Amino acid sequence: MSEVQSVPKNLNSPNLSKEAILADFRVAMISRHASLVGRKEVFMGKAKFGIFGDGKEIAQIAMARAFQLGDFRSGYYRDQTFMLAIGELTVKQYFSQLYAYTNVEAEPASAGRLMNGHFATRSLNEDGSWKDLTKKYNSAADISPTAAQMPKLLGLAYASKLYRDNKGLKEMTKFSVNGNEVAWGTIGNASTSEGMFFETINAAGVMQVPMVISVWDDGYGISVPNEFHTTKGSISEALAGFERTDSQKGIEIIRVNGWDYEALLNAYVEAGELARVSHVPVLIHVLEMTQPQGHSTSGSHERYKDKKRLQWEKDWDCISKFREYILSNEIANADTLDKIEAEAKAQVKQEKEAAWSQFSSEIKKELSEAVVLLRAAAQHSTRKVIINQLAEELSKTINPIRKDVVVTVRKALLTLRLDSAAAKADLKAWYAKQTDLNFNRYNSHLYSHSEWNVLNVEEIPAKFNDKSPFVDGREILQSYFDYTLENDPRFFTFGEDVGKIGDVNQAFAGLQAKHGELRVSDTGIRECTIIGQGIGTSLRGLRPLAEIQYLDYLLYGLQMLADDVACLQYRTKGGQKAPLIVRTRGHRLEGVWHSGSPMGMILSTLRGMVVCVPRDMTQAAGMYNSLLKSDEPAIVIECLNGYRLKEQMPENLGEYTVPLGKPEFLREGADLTIVTYGSMCRVVMEAASELAELGIEIEVLDVQTLLPFDVHGIIGDSVKKTNRVIFADEDVPGAGSAFMLQQVIEGQDVFKYLDAEPQTITAKSHRPAYSSDGDYFSKPSVEDVVEKVYAMMNEVDPKTFPEI
Ligand SMILES: Cc1ncc(C[n+]2csc(CCOP(=O)(O)OP(=O)(O)O)c2C)c(N)n1
Ligand SMILES: [Mg+2]
């Protein structure tokens, strides 16, 4: 580990001109004043919350100097100076985000959807196609959970490795120039305590990917000092065992103080070179940073920092030190620096006012329109006084927000309910228009708006002929993956035991030997960063298939899927996409951790992803094909007990697709509809045969995907015919089955067609005990299905179906 760098090493010294140094001073000043003014805006009630990058300016300027076109940042809420320095953020945009302005041009990171300090660049054109990322400075889209920016950093860096070493990717010139791109991560000192930080560091050391992680160390995580967070109170000391040596690969660790401009410049040039040229991961521990205004606008740091510490922070403020450096090296005199500061201050004020004026005038305009329409409606209303009073109160709102306007209009429409349609027609029409606009502002882009949305994938049926052989299900996948590896250079897979043995169920058996280690690779046991590897590589144009060995272990990676992947298109309003596919296997097998079917968990956390639940491997292969033609992220849950079952090999493997969001009829019948998916399809179909012998014909529908869910209302049509419905799965009661029930009852207008209460068939609330008996007494069985259906038929016609 390097000693704290304080003397310029001069080996890569950037030798900046006087002008460049003063330009850095200007950016630092602009950023600092943005922080100071931002806090005031919150206290004036113009924004709800603020978290700022003051005290971290100089290191970020040094990082920006080493950052090159095509590089990616994955960082956190302190990085405004860096974003300003690379030219991907203006002060006006910064304040637009503080105010939560929904205009995507004014606030291109999140269109007002994220709180301030959440940065992102736009990788996509308006139509959802990729921009040329090699000609841009890129930033992945920030999220709030501490350290959650780390897992995708691994993937962003790994993509460079693939682009450099996989010759098949040479055509993908929009994404890489010979894998020269560095992924730059930033993280707070306290956040390094999170497991995902250590998982990322370890994986980067193993994989030797071009990543530079900066730890902004201000000694605290909100109120808690370093000694409570980190062994030895120092993350670089704690990580010493990861450090590379002359004989062993590992991580380069550099220590540098956050107020030392020259040392920082050198550290970043050195780190950037090492990562870019040699693909060596680097950690820069930036010490002695400060928080001039404390952690955020919620609370003050005087509560937990003593006077000595507060004085130290003042004395070692990085901008004050930078100023001293400029003066003592006679780069400029005090007047020049004062002038730059005054100009920076004026610029911040002017851009802040421009942002406020644009943001607030839009709402004021809506408010004025509403007031006019309310007064007009009042003219013809029997409740004139009340409506005029609502208009009056609305017009007097200080710093109005959209909600104030809409609440008033909705109250007025309720008040006007007994008045003639004509009196309120204009107000109603205006409200309808605003509802559409507000949907676009606050609710759009959960899924892709592009032509590659999964619903646009053309349906191509699988073809079979008399000679098509019956093989183990896993062989269908194996042939499909072989075909896809051959034909789509963007496609690759990785995970535990996926490489050498071709996954624990052998769907990739022999494919590493055939297609190479870059296409089919083993990873450590680290589900969280397996997902991160998928996120980062998919953010850079690749099509990763991230393997999670069993569905029961998805929980380790679920947070990244929920917090990062599922909401990515939404939180950037279509600015970024990460179309990774997670491949896993679940439902029934044996024992508590190999039989899970936690669809409720997935459904409530992964809205924004596609959730595929194939019943066999032929269907799974078709789903992978559909997904690779689309640009949505997805999870595919194969049936753990299905790899050795015989299926007929389709002759158009690699071509056929499964329509996602469209249930498939497995059996037609007039008496009752059962809606199910996955391994339960076989159970229900067996029960259907038994029921047929009892004179009951059930219709069986396989939903195929839970998200999207039956977009054409096929289940509703079936229920309208049979008038009875059961939703069956192996999740706990009130989870996946309840979701399906809600989707059909609320969305498909079937209630009035039902002759009997809709029912669910589920597993027990606990996990299944071990062995086949454990399965039988915990998961729904053929007998359970037969008896439930029979009981419903007994209610309808007890004569024909007497009680068992
Ligand atoms: C997973 C998670 N836990 C808790 C929080 C709340 N939180 C936000 S910032 C923060 C402190 C982070 O400290 P540090 O990493 O040192 O960064 P700093 O703010 O000091 O730059 C905490 C606990 C969070 N955002 N995410
Ligand atoms: Mg900190």
Side-chain angles (χ1 to χ4, degrees):
M1 190 188 316
S2 66
E3 290 299 304
V4 176
Q5 290 189 11
S6 56
V7 182
K9 278 184 163 178
N10 241 356
L11 86 149
N12 285 311
S13 186
N15 282 330
L16 291 182
S17 66
K18 190 176 141 184
E19 287 71 32
I21 295 170
L22 293 184
D24 284 352
F25 185 75
R26 183 180 298 274
V27 174
M29 273 303 170
I30 289 172
S31 180
R32 176 62 61 92
H33 280 284
S35 299
L36 300 175
V37 173
R39 188 173 169 88
K40 286 193 190 125
E41 291 296 279
V42 176
F43 292 144
M44 281 169 69
K46 287 160 80 180
K48 292 205 88 169
F49 172 79
I51 191 154
F52 306 105
D54 46 320
K56 318 279 188 296
E57 290 94 346
I58 304 303
Q60 292 182 27
I61 282 172
M63 176 167 136
R65 288 224 168 261
F67 198 82
Q68 296 188 6
L69 289 170
D71 285 0
F72 259 90
R73 161 195 172 275
S74 179
Y76 79 115
Y77 48 78
R78 300 285 181 212
D79 293 347
Q80 70 199 44
T81 316
F82 171 79
M83 295 302 290
L84 289 164
I86 61 168
E88 287 297 329
L89 177 73
T90 65
V91 174
K92 188 172 170 213
Q93 288 167 347
Y94 185 72
F95 280 93
S96 294
Q97 189 178 53
L98 187 74
Y99 303 137
Y101 188 21
T102 53
N103 179 321
V104 76
E105 280 81 37
E107 204 283 83
S110 77
R113 291 175 180 194
L114 300 186
M115 60 170 56
N116 91 309
H118 286 64
F119 308 106
T121 51
R122 300 188 79 77
S123 302
L124 304 179
N125 296 308
E126 272 202 16
D127 64 1
S129 61
W130 290 103
K131 292 181 179 168
D132 187 339
L133 304 186
T134 66
K135 302 214 162 54
K136 281 170 51 50
Y137 295 113
N138 302 290
S139 173
D142 292 358
I143 53 183
S144 297
T146 48
Q149 69 274 29
M150 291 290 109
K152 73 181 154 204
L153 183 67
L154 182 73
L156 289 167
Y158 183 58
S160 289
K161 196 150 214 72
L162 293 173
Y163 280 119
R164 183 171 291 180
D165 296 343
N166 178 0
K167 302 295 169 234
L169 295 172
K170 285 285 169 266
E171 312 273 282
M172 297 194 59
T173 52
K174 277 187 173 181
F175 300 97
S176 179
V177 179
N178 192 36
N180 289 341
E181 303 74 25
V182 173
W184 302 80
T186 69
I187 184 167
N189 53 298
S191 302
T192 63
S193 304
E194 297 280 12
M196 50 186 64
F197 169 77
F198 286 95
E199 208 178 295
T200 304
I201 288 281
N202 179 53
V206 170
M207 293 161 74
Q208 293 293 293
V209 289
M211 159 196 298
V212 179
I213 297 184
S214 297
V215 180
W216 304 147
D217 192 345
D218 55 17
Y220 285 83
I222 309 186
S223 64
V224 182
N226 267 346
E227 58 264 35
F228 289 97
H229 289 289
T230 310
T231 305
K232 301 179 183 173
S234 160
I235 193 62
S236 51
E237 284 185 42
L239 291 178
F242 285 89
E243 207 165 2
R244 69 186 185 134
T245 63
D246 290 344
S247 58
Q248 281 183 307
K249 289 182 175 168
I251 294 179
E252 175 76 5
I253 299 180
I254 297 173
R255 306 177 82 212
V256 59
N257 286 324
W259 44 262
D260 192 338
Y261 176 65
E262 262 195 39
L264 284 161
L265 288 177
N266 284 317
Y268 277 91
V269 168
E270 184 186 336
E273 289 274 311
L274 201 53
R276 199 177 305 285
V277 177
S278 315
H279 281 190
V280 170
V282 185
L283 180 121
I284 306 182
H285 187 185
V286 184
L287 299 121
E288 303 199 359
M289 287 184 140
T290 65
Q291 293 177 334
Q293 303 187 106
H295 176 78
S296 71
T297 52
S298 311
S300 98
H301 58 157
E302 281 83 12
R303 279 184 304 162
Y304 47 82
K305 287 179 188 164
D306 60 23
K307 284 210 168 84
K308 203 168 144 224
R309 170 78 198 185
L310 290 166
Q311 188 56 48
W312 179 88
E313 292 203 13
K314 278 204 177 83
D315 296 343
W316 293 89
D317 181 289
C318 61
I319 298 187
S320 306
K321 286 278 158 199
F322 189 22
R323 190 183 158 98
E324 283 171 23
Y325 167 86
I326 293 172
L327 294 174
S328 65
N329 285 284
E330 297 178 3
I331 295 161
N333 61 26
D335 285 350
T336 308
L337 296 185
D338 290 345
K339 187 163 170 270
I340 292 175
E341 177 166 5
E343 283 165 3
K345 201 171 166 183
Q347 183 187 335
V348 168
K349 184 165 183 278
Q350 184 265 321
E351 291 198 51
K352 177 216 61 170
E353 276 165 10
W356 176 255
S357 146
Q358 199 186 345
F359 163 75
S360 58
S361 64
E362 198 174 290
I363 293 180
K364 279 188 195 137
K365 182 170 164 277
E366 285 167 32
L367 185 145
S368 312
E369 286 169 6
V371 168
V372 169
L373 289 167
L374 286 166
R375 290 201 172 121
Q379 291 300 314
H380 309 284
S381 171
T382 49
R383 328 270 318 257
K384 189 173 180 173
V385 178
I386 301 175
I387 304 292
N388 270 331
Q389 198 180 335
L390 285 172
E392 188 63 16
E393 278 166 19
L394 181 61
S395 65
K396 287 188 183 146
T397 318
I398 299 164
N399 292 340
I401 59 171
R402 211 156 253 135
K403 179 183 161 197
D404 299 319
V405 182
V406 170
V407 165
T408 305
V409 169
R410 291 172 81 171
K411 272 191 191 148
L413 287 171
L414 191 66
T415 311
L416 290 164
R417 68 195 177 281
L418 299 176
D419 285 303
S420 72
K424 57 197 172 190
D426 289 347
L427 187 62
K428 252 179 125 169
W430 183 87
Y431 176 56
K433 199 177 101 212
Q434 290 302 314
T435 302
D436 284 350
L437 289 171
N438 286 333
F439 184 88
N440 180 274
R441 287 176 184 129
Y442 300 102
N443 311 110
S444 73
H445 289 84
L446 181 58
Y447 287 93
S448 169
H449 284 206
S450 80
E451 64 180 278
W452 302 282
N453 178 296
V454 280
L455 300 178
N456 293 337
V457 175
E458 189 197 349
E459 181 175 353
I460 303 172
K463 281 194 222 141
F464 303 93
N465 63 41
D466 298 345
K467 292 191 203 96
S468 303
F470 280 83
V471 297
D472 284 355
R474 68 123 195 135
E475 291 177 72
I476 295 193
L477 286 176
Q478 186 189 25
S479 302
Y480 168 75
F481 289 137
D482 187 16
Y483 176 94
T484 307
L485 285 163
E486 194 72 47
N487 289 285
D488 188 347
R490 304 168 309 158
F491 178 74
F492 65 103
T493 189
F494 51 91
E496 297 151 19
D497 304 291
V498 172
K500 207 168 193 130
I501 64 166
D503 96 40
V504 284
N505 293 287
Q506 300 201 295
F508 279 93
L511 299 185
Q512 185 186 64
K514 184 168 174 189
H515 298 280
E517 285 186 25
L518 293 171
R519 309 295 303 285
V520 181
S521 51
D522 284 316
T523 67
I525 305 176
R526 47 172 182 79
E527 287 77 9
C528 170
T529 48
I530 287 174
I531 298 298
Q533 215 171 315
I535 302 171
T537 48
S538 61
L539 283 170
R540 293 188 58 194
L542 296 168
R543 293 310 307 259
L545 185 71
E547 154 99 6
I548 298 293
Q549 201 159 71
Y550 297 104
L551 179 55
D552 301 80
Y553 306 128
L554 181 72
L555 271 164
Y556 280 53
L558 187 69
Q559 194 223 331
M560 294 328 307
L561 292 174
D563 283 338
D564 205 350
V565 180
C567 60
L568 179 66
Q569 304 214 43
Y570 172 77
R571 75 177 191 273
T572 59
K573 205 176 184 195
Q576 292 187 13
K577 59 182 171 185
L580 86 149
I581 304 174
V582 179
R583 174 176 182 239
T584 188
R585 52 204 63 86
H587 314 313
R588 57 185 63 205
L589 194 70
E590 300 293 342
V592 167
W593 285 278
H594 297 85
S595 58
S597 191
M599 296 303 141
M601 166 184 96
I602 290 172
L603 286 165
S604 60
T605 50
L606 301 188
R607 304 289 164 107
M609 288 184 71
V610 175
V611 178
C612 297
V613 279
R615 66 179 179 277
D616 61 29
M617 306 306 155
T618 312
Q619 199 187 20
M623 287 172 171
Y624 288 121
N625 217 17
S626 300
L627 291 169
L628 286 170
K629 289 179 196 303
S630 86
D631 66 357
E632 310 267 21
I635 178 165
V636 180
I637 297 146
E638 295 167 9
C639 296
L640 193 41
N641 61 5
Y643 293 106
R644 309 269 159 204
L645 299 178
K646 296 291 177 206
E647 294 179 37
Q648 196 174 17
M649 181 70 86
E651 60 177 28
N652 57 342
L653 211 58
E655 189 202 353
Y656 73 92
T657 57
V658 166
L660 306 178
K662 186 174 167 196
E664 187 180 351
F665 282 93
L666 299 187
R667 183 180 172 118
E668 303 216 354
D671 294 326
L672 184 146
T673 302
I674 296 194
V675 181
T676 191
Y677 59 87
S679 299
M680 273 299 285
C681 290
R682 282 193 295 282
V683 175
V684 172
M685 287 300 280
E686 209 179 311
S689 304
E690 288 192 17
L691 286 161
E693 285 171 24
L694 300 171
I696 300 168
E697 288 298 337
I698 63 169
E699 187 142 293
V700 182
L701 280 162
D702 172 5
V703 300
Q704 305 206 81
T705 57
L706 287 164
L707 296 174
F709 186 85
D710 187 15
V711 291
H712 306 293
I714 290 172
I715 300 168
D717 292 343
S718 168
V719 178
K720 284 171 194 164
K721 183 178 81 177
T722 62
N723 312 118
R724 287 162 212 120
V725 64
I726 294 175
F727 298 90
D729 75 0
E730 343 176 354
D731 201 351
V732 296
S737 58
F739 169 79
M740 296 193 286
L741 185 140
Q742 175 266 339
Q743 291 283 302
V744 173
I745 299 295
E746 282 186 20
Q748 300 191 1
D749 191 29
V750 295
F751 190 69
K752 55 182 175 286
Y753 296 91
L754 288 171
D755 283 353
E757 190 187 343
Q759 305 266 346
T760 62
I761 294 176
T762 67
K764 299 277 190 295
S765 293
H766 55 77
R767 300 184 184 202
Y770 184 57
S771 96
S772 300
D773 276 349
D775 175 85
Y776 186 79
F777 291 105
S778 306
K779 292 268 184 165
S781 63
V782 173
E783 291 72 34
D784 292 336
V785 178
V786 169
E787 287 166 13
K788 183 85 142 194
V789 173
Y790 189 89
M792 279 174 84
M793 296 310 290
N794 159 264
E795 245 180 59
V796 182
D797 183 358
K799 258 199 178 146
T800 317
F801 305 108
E803 210 172 308
I804 301 172

